[in-house]
Amino acid sequence: MTTLPEWTDLRFFLELARSGTLSGTSRRLSVEHTTVARRIDRLEEQLGATLFDRSREGYQLTEMGLALLPHAEAMESAVTAAQDELTGAQISVRGIVRLGVPEILGSRVVAPALVDLLQAHPDLSVDLLLLPRFANLANREADLGVMLDPPSTGRYMVTRLASFRMYIYGAPSYLSKHPPIKVHADLIKHDFVDYVQDRLASSGLNYMGELGFTPHRRMCCTSLAAQCEAAALGLGLIMAPPYAVPDDGRLVRVLENNFYAERSFCLVAPTDLYRLQRVRVVWNLLRDVAEKNPALFIIPN
C-alpha cells in the first residue's frame, strides 16, 4: 500500500458492511450504486486486500474486512467527536440507524414511538428490522437491538430494557366451546398456539415449558403476531405479553394472576456505535418508552 485510504472511502466501506448491498448503501449515502462499487474497488486496490465476498445475496465481509471494521468504526467515532468539539455544541442528529426489534414489539410499540422522534429530527432515518429472530449485532446487521440474550463476547453496551410477563389468553369464542378453566390443572384439557419449537430465536421463548405439562399444540408459528391472530379466531389458548394482545376484546385473560412466565428484554449496541449521537437518540427513546409504559409489559395487580 503506497497511500493511506481516504476517510470517505472508509465511510463507504462502513455503510456497505452494515447494509450488505450496494443499493442499501447508495440510499444511505445518497449516491449512485456505481459510485459505491467504485469506491470499494478503489479501497481494496489501495489496501491490496479483498474486503467483501460478492454474491447474489449481497456483500459479506471477508476476514480482512472484519479486521478493518473496528478501525474504520473508531475513525467514525473520532470524526463525530471532533465535530461536536469544534462546533462547541451538539451537532444535529443525522444519518440512518438500523434497529432490530422482535416483530410485534416493533410494530405495536416501537414504530408508533418513532414517529415523534423522526419528526423532531428531520435528518434522522431509522431502518426498523422486524425479524422472526433477534438481530445479529456481531455482523453489524443492526446498530442496536432488543433481545432476550445479550452477547456473551465482544464489546457491547447492554442495559435491561423491561421485564415482561407472558399471560394466558383465549378467545371468547374458544372459551365458550371448551371446558371451563378455573384452576391451573384445567389447562391440560385445552389446545394451544405456540412457537415452532425447533425454530426458537432464544431458549427463553420456550415459556410453555413452565406450564408443568406438555401442551397440545394445534398450531405453531415463528411469528407471534400470527399466533395471536390464530388464537383470536378461536384455534386455542396462547401465552403472550400485554403489548402483543389486540385491544379489541378478541382475546381475554384466563386464570388472571394465577399463572405467568416472566422474561426480560435487554437493549444492546456495539460500544463504538453507541458513541454515535444518532444511535444514542434511538437508544434513549426505547428506554423512555419502556419506563413510561410499564403496563405494556406487566399488567398491574
Side-chain angles (χ1 to χ4, degrees):
M1 181 179 66
T2 58
T3 59
L4 292 174
E6 297 179 7
W7 159 241
T8 51
D9 288 342
L10 288 173
R11 185 183 177 206
F12 278 81
F13 164 77
L14 278 175
E15 295 297 348
L16 184 56
R18 290 165 183 167
S19 72
T21 64
L22 293 177
S23 59
T25 303
S26 65
R27 182 175 68 85
R28 286 168 176 257
L29 298 178
S30 300
V31 298
E32 296 293 329
H33 72 276
T34 53
T35 301
V36 179
R38 186 171 61 253
R39 289 294 192 110
I40 296 301
D41 289 342
R42 183 171 75 177
L43 181 61
E44 289 183 329
E45 183 178 353
Q46 285 181 327
L47 296 175
T50 300
L51 302 175
F52 293 94
D53 286 325
R54 282 82 162 167
S55 70
R56 291 183 178 180
E57 288 72 33
Y59 282 61
Q60 296 292 325
L61 287 170
T62 63
E63 185 175 349
M64 293 300 295
L66 288 170
L68 177 62
L69 185 63
H71 301 290
E73 289 170 337
M75 291 182 67
E76 181 182 47
S77 297
V79 169
T80 301
Q83 288 176 316
D84 285 342
E85 185 171 344
L86 291 174
T87 58
Q90 291 290 332
I91 61 173
S92 62
V93 178
R94 64 177 65 246
I96 299 176
V97 175
R98 301 198 93 189
L99 170 60
V101 184
E103 176 194 19
I104 203 163
L105 177 68
S107 60
R108 295 206 173 149
V109 178
V110 176
L114 286 172
V115 173
D116 287 342
L117 179 73
L118 293 173
Q119 290 176 341
H121 300 286
D123 295 323
L124 176 68
S125 297
V126 173
D127 288 347
L128 186 58
L129 308 182
L130 305 183
L131 306 169
R133 54 178 173 77
F134 297 107
N136 188 333
L137 300 185
N139 68 5
R140 301 305 168 114
E141 180 179 37
D143 300 322
L144 71 164
V146 176
M147 57 190 65
L148 288 179
D149 308 307
S152 57
T153 60
R155 299 181 62 191
Y156 295 94
M157 290 292 295
V158 180
T159 187
R160 189 186 71 83
L161 183 64
S163 292
F164 63 96
R165 291 177 180 174
M166 313 291 292
Y167 302 98
I168 300 178
Y169 295 87
S173 60
Y174 172 89
L175 296 172
S176 65
K177 298 175 183 177
H178 292 80
I181 304 173
K182 296 181 178 179
V183 295
H184 186 275
D186 292 334
L187 295 172
I188 299 176
K189 308 170 187 176
H190 289 267
D191 299 328
F192 284 84
V193 180
D194 195 10
Y195 282 104
V196 179
Q197 295 302 289
D198 63 353
R199 292 292 186 273
L200 292 176
S202 165
S203 60
L205 295 178
N206 185 25
Y207 38 77
M208 285 197 184
E210 298 178 24
L211 286 170
F213 61 89
T214 301
H216 181 226
R217 296 178 171 92
R218 288 296 310 281
M219 173 181 162
C220 293
C221 182
T222 56
S223 165
L224 180 56
Q227 293 174 42
C228 288
E229 187 62 24
L233 291 172
L235 187 61
L237 302 177
I238 187 175
M239 290 184 67
Y243 64 78
V245 178
D247 58 1
D248 53 12
R250 293 190 300 153
L251 286 173
V252 297
R253 282 180 66 192
V254 300
L255 289 182
E256 292 298 323
N257 296 320
N258 291 335
F259 181 80
Y260 58 80
E262 187 164 334
R263 301 289 188 270
S264 291
F265 279 133
C266 58
L267 183 57
V268 185
T271 301
D272 55 294
L273 296 184
Y274 176 79
R275 298 190 186 104
L276 301 178
Q277 189 181 15
R278 64 178 183 268
V279 173
R280 290 199 307 273
V281 164
V282 177
W283 174 287
N284 292 336
L285 171 73
L286 295 177
R287 295 198 65 183
D288 189 58
V289 169
E291 291 173 3
K292 291 182 177 179
N293 300 278
L296 290 173
F297 304 95
I298 296 178
I299 298 175
N301 295 327

